[in-house]
Amino acid sequence: MSRKQSFLIVAAGLALPALFSIWAPALMNDYFVRVLTVMCINALLVISLGLANGFTGVFSLGHVGFVAVGAYVSGVLSLTDANKANYLPDLPAWIAAIHLEFLPSTLVAGVVCVVLAFLVGAPLMRLSGHFVSVATLGFLIIVNVVLVNSDTYTRGARTFTGVPLQTTLPWAMGWLLLGLVVLARIIYSPKGRAWRAVREDTIAAQAVGIAVLPTRLSAFVIGSFFAGVGGSLYGHYIGSFSPASFYFAYTFSLISMLVIGGMRSLTGAVVGVVVVSLLSELLRNLERGFDIGIVSVPPLYGSSQIVLGVIFILIMIFRPSGVMGDLELSLGRIAALIHRGGKETKT
Amino acid sequence: MSLELYITQQIINAISLGSLYALVAIGLSMIFGILRMTNFAHGDMMMVGGYTTLVLQTLGLDFGWAVIVGIALGGLAGVIVERVAYRPVRGAPEVTLLLTSLAVTYILENLGILIFTSSGRNFPLPDWMNSAFQLFDGQITFTQINLLTVGLTAVALGTLGWFVTRTDLGLGMRAAAEDMGAAHLVGLDVNRLIVAAFAIASAFAGLAGILWAAQAGVVEPTMGFTPLLKAFVGAIIGGFGSIAGALLGGYLLGALEVFIVAFLPSEVSPYRDAIVFTLLIAFLLFRPNGVLKRVQEVKL
Amino acid sequence: MKTTRKNVAGVAVMAGLAIACSSFSSRLASADDTIKIGATFSVTGAQSSIDSPSLNGAKLKAKEINDAGGVLGKKIELVIYDTKTDPTVIASTASQLINQDKVPVALGLNDSDAVLALGPIFQTGGVPFVTPGATSPKLPEQVGTQMFLACFGDNVQAAAGAEFVLNKLSGKNVYLLRDNTTEYTTLLAKYFKEAYEHAGGKIVLADDYKHGDTSFTAQITKLKAFPTKPDVLYVAAQPDDIGVVVKQMRQAGLMQPIVGGDGYDTPLLLSVGGKAANNVYFSTHAFMAEDSTPGIVKFYQAYKAAYNTPPENAFAALGYDTVGLVADAIARAGSTDSAKIRDALASTQGFKGITGSISYSEGNRVPDKTVSIIGVKDDKLFLAAEVTPTWIAKP
């Protein structure tokens, strides 16, 4: 396949979802648009989670800590002056004076997370296996405690509200596509192969000259940038949140999407988001009680989470590599399929 | 109040809290020692113990018996979880085990919410337990619950000590914790050992749950969550995988928590949990074998 | 198609989606001849002991109104969502109500943090929202012109509490314990301090705890170590914490009266606190008993008949009154246009509810209502006082 053809395929692969996201609100019910928007945000968070977890073998449980930082940083910067006075009356003057639009505040959130990730990752990425998981869990908890106690900046554990509702489907989809492109370029490059070497066997990787610590650290930092961006998107989508919104429940939600879809491919991450989101929505509606013919099932609040947990365990037992396994539904493969299909009809 | 009395009261508080952390930490270390697995669902065994005792008392059973059955059911719950969720994934990479335990805790907590609703339920205590010893004109309070906590913990520890030094099963567990492969080679039934470890660990957690509920006065589905994390820190500080380490670490952590709040300025106390987890990270980085060396850790 | 595992799974997913879609569409295709009123209540989660009765009261009133012919010739329909005491779900529900169900007006939630989570969404959406029991008097200012309270503000109940402590309990010095992690308790404690000190009382020691804490040994030990013994303990607490606090305080030998706000108005106070709840007093919106005011008595019996249990707390009555208030506003507006309903609400004068009379004075969206102080004696609730405070702190 010529370079021109592959370029066209990639362009189409990006343009189609982008156009769809812009036209979607006119085509479909507002409820579905909202579900899609959340899915895009979660997909961005899951692929960035998968970067460290699936591709370098460092299972970070602290990802949501960065999401929280992203949401709060961008939230504080985007509040209107009136809302700042209302909700954060004691904010230091220099912060209160800053008021950023959506894109700048998102970028600032991402950058802050990058800096934080460097500081946190430098010591933590030395650890392996579940020690790093536990340590990053500690990070999540520390972030939570700090947010809860920083009353003047975050309203503590109370509801942080008034964030302008600026996340629309085009924005969410746009950032997701950007994330996919960036991550795909990195993962399927020599650097990415180095990452996967580190995941498979740290000693062998070191033996061929791959420095493990910088490898892990770069994955961690890049992942945290998109976590911060995702946090900002989420904050501007939901408008109100509190530190508890970014704690264990959300962590488990993202992990289950990653694991069910497949930790080792980008497509897996996206598939996982779609499957788990649809399943959650479906189960949440069934939770309110429903009728099948003459049988009336009463509301069983909380059962949707149990079902999700059980599915998670079944995947761990029967298909630990997730739905997609190692398969990557890359644009190249799609193009090859189309190519082959074209050839067949000719003969 | 004089300083000595204040310190004494805080020591009482620390021992009470430390006992609970120690009970949970020992179970965590046991499971890690034998299976190399971080069991996040361990905290939910506390919930099982607490609710069982609550329900049995509501049905009319005597407190003493309710506690015994609660402990037993806690142990049983652990065995069931091991059989259903952990055995199928045994041998999988560490991360898989950890994730599976996360899923289990998620399921168990939501089951608790489904059955009992998320608000706390009153944990009834027999009348004789509701009194307290007021010493030095009320400046030191030593409740019956404190007494019960220390007493039952001592009994549990004593039983455990006898078990791991005098019984075949106990010695086998220690052997398997040292080297699972070798234990297998000399013909020990590894499955039995693992089941025994889970049973004891979860029973301890069940007991801790009952005592915790007695101290707090309520049982609620997420009650095991925070103690689990704290016990975890304690186990690592003491030396993850070592029972003695977990014991030491649990009490150290209890003392640390109480003293942070009691003696540091009040601006610092809300950050208590952050301090505890920073300590965890520090230990993981600089002294992963804990105070009492145990685990071989691969670090870069 | 072969019955491979994948295919079976795929069919199952399709079937599931089909069921889901049908349940959505049936929700969307509701009748056009009802007036929809959004109803957001946290029936599950920490707020359930307060929101559940509130929703029941609301449903009762809706039924009564419909049985009497409805409003503007149509029946009213409560579009009910469980918000699970989760700000994410609350915000998401608000969006659904405005964009999908297209309700012209909504009500619900009894906690200030919960209302803050959806307030801005209703404000931007131009749909008025009335809260039966979230008592932060700052809400109308913070959220905007679409936010209304059907209950008194925390500054009022704190002032009533302060006067009660000074006059009825002769409490000259007070220990103030506050949950500093929720909006309601933080504000309540603030207003209490201002009113109490303004009236000459002295707060000898103040301390904080976190919502959900189950151990108060640290705070209790500090209090007991303090040289001055306070006459009264004022604790600003949420409904799911108060039982535990009270129990541990009594266990530690603290027998002074414990006083607080409407967060205590929950069955959990007696069920979790047990004997420890004796000598506890709290300010709330109404006294639910069979020997209360005629309006309450009638409500009490109707509620009992409908739900097989007497109303659990004053929030049941507040839910009832709020639906009445909203229906009244719709009637006065003469239309289901959100802007007209909002204006009708804002000009409410003398609406007679069972929890008191609701009027919004010029530009104000918090009504002036009297405060009932309820006490616990011999394991039972009794009406200790009705207070209209003389000095109230500014919101």
Side-chain angles (χ1 to χ4, degrees):
Chain A
M1 206 168 32
S2 68
R3 276 182 72 91
K4 194 165 152 212
Q5 275 177 315
S6 54
F7 176 73
L8 284 175
I9 304 273
V10 171
L14 291 178
L16 281 173
L19 287 173
F20 171 72
S21 66
I22 297 176
W23 286 332
L27 294 173
M28 38 202 261
N29 194 307
D30 196 71
Y31 176 74
F32 291 118
V33 171
R34 288 180 56 80
V35 171
L36 273 178
T37 311
V38 177
M39 285 210 280
C40 288
I41 299 176
N42 280 336
L44 182 64
L45 290 177
V46 172
I47 59 174
S48 53
L49 177 68
L51 199 60
N53 295 10
F55 290 103
T56 54
V58 165
F59 206 94
S60 161
L61 290 175
H63 199 68
V64 170
F66 292 112
V67 180
V69 170
Y72 272 98
V73 167
S74 68
V76 171
L77 294 174
S78 320
L79 283 182
T80 60
D81 290 325
N83 277 336
K84 276 208 189 86
N86 258 330
Y87 298 122
L88 299 171
D90 305 313
L91 211 53
W94 66 274
I95 297 184
I98 309 177
H99 175 76
L100 293 178
E101 284 305 309
F102 192 25
L103 186 59
S105 68
T106 307
L107 288 172
V108 170
V111 167
V112 169
C113 284
V114 162
V115 172
L116 188 61
F118 259 115
L119 293 173
V120 170
L124 291 192
M125 292 298 112
R126 293 174 196 282
L127 301 170
S128 294
H130 54 194
F131 282 104
V132 72
S133 302
V134 168
T136 46
L137 185 69
F139 166 69
L140 175 67
I141 296 175
I142 294 174
V143 166
N144 187 275
V145 171
V146 169
L147 286 175
V148 165
N149 286 300
S150 314
D151 267 63
T152 42
Y153 298 91
T154 62
R155 298 194 92 233
R158 292 138 59 197
T159 308
F160 187 89
T161 190
V163 183
L165 302 170
Q166 292 165 318
T167 305
T168 52
L169 187 55
W171 273 112
M173 181 70 85
W175 275 109
L176 172 62
L177 291 173
L178 180 69
L180 280 171
V181 166
V182 168
L183 261 48
R185 296 286 305 158
I186 294 177
I187 292 171
Y188 296 106
S189 71
K191 190 158 183 219
R193 282 200 284 276
W195 287 9
R196 275 170 286 166
V198 165
R199 174 189 75 196
E200 296 302 331
D201 193 329
T202 47
I203 298 178
Q206 283 175 308
V208 295
I210 300 175
V212 175
L213 184 57
T215 306
R216 286 182 178 168
L217 188 58
S218 41
F220 191 66
V221 167
I222 297 176
S224 77
F225 173 77
F226 287 108
V229 166
S232 169
L233 290 174
Y234 187 76
H236 288 84
Y237 165 78
I238 206 88
S240 341
F241 47 81
S242 68
S245 313
F246 303 106
Y247 209 33
F248 288 98
Y250 204 17
T251 302
F252 186 75
S253 186
L254 292 177
I255 289 178
S256 64
M257 292 175 188
L258 181 66
V259 164
I260 290 175
M263 275 197 278
R264 298 185 166 200
S265 69
L266 288 177
T267 330
V270 175
V271 165
V273 172
V274 173
V275 168
V276 172
S277 300
L278 289 180
L279 208 59
S280 301
E281 271 309 302
L282 171 64
L283 288 172
R284 223 162 22 106
N285 278 288
L286 292 179
E287 219 176 45
R288 293 165 83 201
F290 57 94
D291 303 305
I292 322 178
I294 45 167
V295 176
S296 182
V297 180
L300 284 171
Y301 295 112
S303 46
S304 65
Q305 284 114 316
I306 297 177
V307 173
L308 212 60
V310 171
I311 293 177
F312 189 102
I313 294 185
L314 290 174
I315 298 259
M316 287 277 96
I317 296 176
F318 294 113
R319 201 177 160 82
S321 49
V323 169
M324 288 303 292
D326 258 323
L327 276 183
E328 190 71 87
L329 197 66
S330 65
L331 292 174
R333 271 220 182 84
I334 300 177
L337 281 171
I338 299 173
H339 212 70
R340 232 182 298 141
K343 267 206 200 134
E344 268 158 24
T345 49
K346 270 190 204 156
T347 52
Chain B
M1 181 194 274
S2 74
L3 192 59
E4 299 101 40
L5 289 180
Y6 188 62
I7 294 181
T8 316
Q9 176 71 75
Q10 297 301 1
I11 292 179
I12 295 175
N13 294 343
I15 293 181
S16 219
L17 187 61
S19 303
L20 297 180
Y21 286 157
L23 285 172
V24 181
I26 287 175
L28 270 178
S29 266
M30 274 172 94
I31 293 176
F32 181 78
I34 210 170
L35 268 187
R36 318 296 297 173
M37 164 188 190
T38 318
N39 182 17
F40 275 106
H42 195 62
D44 296 313
M45 305 306 144
M46 288 177 72
M47 170 186 80
V48 170
Y51 273 118
T52 309
T53 313
L54 167 68
V55 167
L56 288 176
Q57 283 191 276
T58 327
L59 294 177
L61 196 60
D62 210 32
F63 180 69
W65 286 111
V67 168
I68 292 176
V69 177
I71 297 175
L73 236 65
L76 183 64
V79 169
I80 294 175
V81 165
E82 193 276 325
R83 186 71 192 77
V84 169
Y86 298 152
R87 193 175 299 189
V89 288
R90 207 184 286 169
E94 286 179 342
V95 165
T96 309
L97 296 174
L98 188 145
L99 291 180
T100 311
S101 76
L102 273 180
V104 170
T105 185
Y106 194 65
I107 293 174
L108 288 177
E109 277 182 13
N110 279 293
L111 255 177
I113 293 177
L114 189 66
I115 301 176
F116 294 105
T117 79
S118 51
S119 346
R121 293 269 183 110
N122 181 36
F123 189 76
L125 292 171
D127 282 326
W128 60 265
M129 282 204 57
N130 271 323
S131 63
F133 302 107
Q134 305 277 1
L135 306 169
F136 297 100
D137 186 34
Q139 285 174 35
I140 296 210
T141 309
F142 192 76
T143 62
Q144 296 279 14
I145 298 172
N146 289 134
L147 211 54
L148 188 74
T149 304
V150 172
L152 285 181
T153 308
V155 168
L157 293 175
T159 318
L160 184 67
W162 165 82
F163 180 75
V164 295
T165 47
R166 297 294 159 101
T167 65
D168 279 345
L169 203 55
L171 288 168
M173 270 171 53
R174 283 168 67 194
E178 273 240 12
D179 193 332
M180 179 71 98
H184 206 78
L185 280 173
V186 300
L188 290 176
D189 182 350
V190 162
N191 268 337
R192 223 160 69 100
L193 296 176
I194 293 178
V195 167
F198 264 91
I200 297 174
S202 311
F204 271 34
L207 172 63
I210 295 170
L211 292 172
W212 186 279
Q215 281 187 13
V218 278
V219 199
E220 35 115 19
T222 52
M223 65 185 284
F225 183 68
T226 318
L228 172 73
L229 292 175
K230 302 292 180 64
F232 196 69
V233 176
I236 293 199
I237 291 178
F240 206 27
S242 140
I243 294 179
L247 180 61
L248 177 65
Y251 277 104
L252 273 180
L253 188 66
L256 180 70
E257 274 200 10
V258 168
F259 291 143
I260 288 179
V261 175
F263 295 110
L264 292 184
S266 47
E267 292 80 40
V268 179
S269 7
Y271 288 93
R272 181 193 63 190
D273 289 353
I275 297 175
V276 165
F277 284 97
T278 311
L279 193 66
L280 168 75
I281 293 178
F283 262 88
L284 285 175
L285 285 173
F286 301 117
R287 213 186 157 84
N289 298 334
V291 171
L292 307 175
K293 284 189 205 296
R294 188 68 180 83
V295 163
Q296 306 310 98
E297 157 66 349
V298 175
K299 239 176 48 173
L300 298 171
Chain C
M1 206 166 53
K2 285 199 290 184
T3 36
T4 59
R5 260 205 310 219
K6 262 200 200 145
N7 285 336
V8 170
V11 170
V13 170
M14 289 296 130
L17 285 173
I19 298 179
C21 291
S22 65
S23 69
F24 299 158
S25 55
S26 65
R27 259 217 324 258
L28 300 173
S30 57
D32 226 358
D33 55 350
T34 60
I35 300 181
K36 294 199 274 196
I37 301 178
T40 52
F41 288 91
S42 291
V43 181
T44 54
Q47 288 290 323
S48 57
S49 74
I50 280 194
D51 271 17
S52 245
S54 194
L55 174 60
N56 284 344
K59 289 198 294 197
L60 185 63
K61 183 64 172 178
K63 184 165 182 305
E64 283 180 14
I65 292 178
N66 285 339
D67 288 342
V71 177
L72 299 179
K74 300 188 191 164
K75 297 224 184 284
I76 57 173
E77 179 197 338
L78 292 178
V79 183
I80 303 173
Y81 283 94
D82 171 21
T83 42
K84 307 192 194 219
T85 319
D86 181 344
T88 316
V89 178
I90 295 173
S92 165
T93 307
S95 269
Q96 253 181 298
L97 280 173
I98 296 179
N99 296 315
Q100 205 192 334
D101 298 300
K102 303 219 191 313
V103 298
V105 63
L107 53 86
L109 297 175
N110 294 288
D111 176 63
S112 307
D113 276 304
V115 171
L116 277 174
L118 53 62
I121 299 179
F122 278 97
Q123 182 67 29
T124 337
V127 174
F129 186 88
V130 187
T131 168
T135 42
S136 160
K138 293 189 187 228
L139 282 172
E141 284 317 303
Q142 285 173 322
V143 175
T145 51
Q146 303 291 344
M147 175 63 54
F148 294 84
L149 267 63
C151 51
F152 50 57
D154 284 321
N155 48 355
V156 171
Q157 67 168 324
E163 282 184 22
F164 182 76
V165 167
L166 277 166
N167 303 336
K168 289 282 168 49
L169 298 178
S170 313
K172 303 217 186 6
N173 35 40
V174 159
Y175 165 72
L176 177 61
L177 180 63
R178 157 187 85 147
D179 169 353
N180 70 340
T181 58
T182 76
E183 184 77 0
Y184 155 67
T185 49
T186 313
L187 288 176
L188 185 68
K190 169 171 125 79
Y191 295 130
F192 176 80
K193 184 167 186 294
E194 287 175 29
Y196 187 68
E197 286 179 343
H198 180 264
K202 194 161 170 322
I203 297 189
V204 296
L205 179 64
D207 213 341
D208 294 330
Y209 70 91
K210 227 170 56 173
H211 179 214
D213 269 352
T214 46
S215 171
F216 301 94
T217 32
Q219 294 89 344
I220 292 177
T221 311
K222 234 185 236 175
L223 170 60
K224 296 190 71 178
F226 200 73
T228 328
K229 298 254 165 289
D231 301 322
V232 168
L233 314 172
Y234 193 87
V235 181
Q238 289 278 356
D240 51 331
D241 285 336
I242 185 56
V244 183
V245 173
V246 157
K247 211 166 162 178
Q248 290 186 11
M249 283 185 158
R250 299 301 191 213
Q251 234 169 34
L254 298 168
M255 296 309 187
Q256 303 93 322
I258 299 178
V259 182
D262 61 345
Y264 290 30
D265 194 356
T266 162
L268 293 173
L269 175 63
L270 288 175
S271 72
V272 174
K275 293 224 173 313
N278 286 321
N279 205 14
V280 169
Y281 298 89
F282 58 93
S283 53
T284 186
H285 312 266
F287 180 49
M288 296 287 114
E290 286 180 294
D291 53 349
S292 190
T293 60
I296 298 270
V297 173
K298 190 152 162 269
F299 169 73
Y300 189 99
Q301 283 153 355
Y303 191 97
K304 202 159 156 195
Y307 300 107
N308 279 328
T309 160
E312 293 89 333
N313 49 35
F315 293 94
L318 282 173
Y320 183 88
D321 272 349
T322 309
V323 171
L325 173 67
V326 169
D328 179 69
I330 297 175
R332 277 183 287 119
S335 102
T336 53
D337 173 59
S338 288
K340 295 212 175 92
I341 297 179
R342 192 221 82 88
D343 290 336
L345 273 171
S347 57
T348 306
Q349 291 297 329
F351 172 79
K352 295 237 173 314
I354 56 175
T355 56
S357 163
I358 297 180
S359 310
Y360 297 119
S361 52
E362 192 56 52
N364 219 344
R365 291 184 291 287
V366 182
D368 286 315
K369 292 163 91 176
T370 47
V371 179
S372 305
I373 309 262
I374 297 184
V376 183
K377 199 164 103 163
D378 298 328
D379 305 340
K380 280 206 302 281
L381 299 175
F382 70 97
L383 183 64
E386 292 263 2
V387 181
T388 311
T390 46
W391 185 90
I392 300 172
K394 289 221 173 314

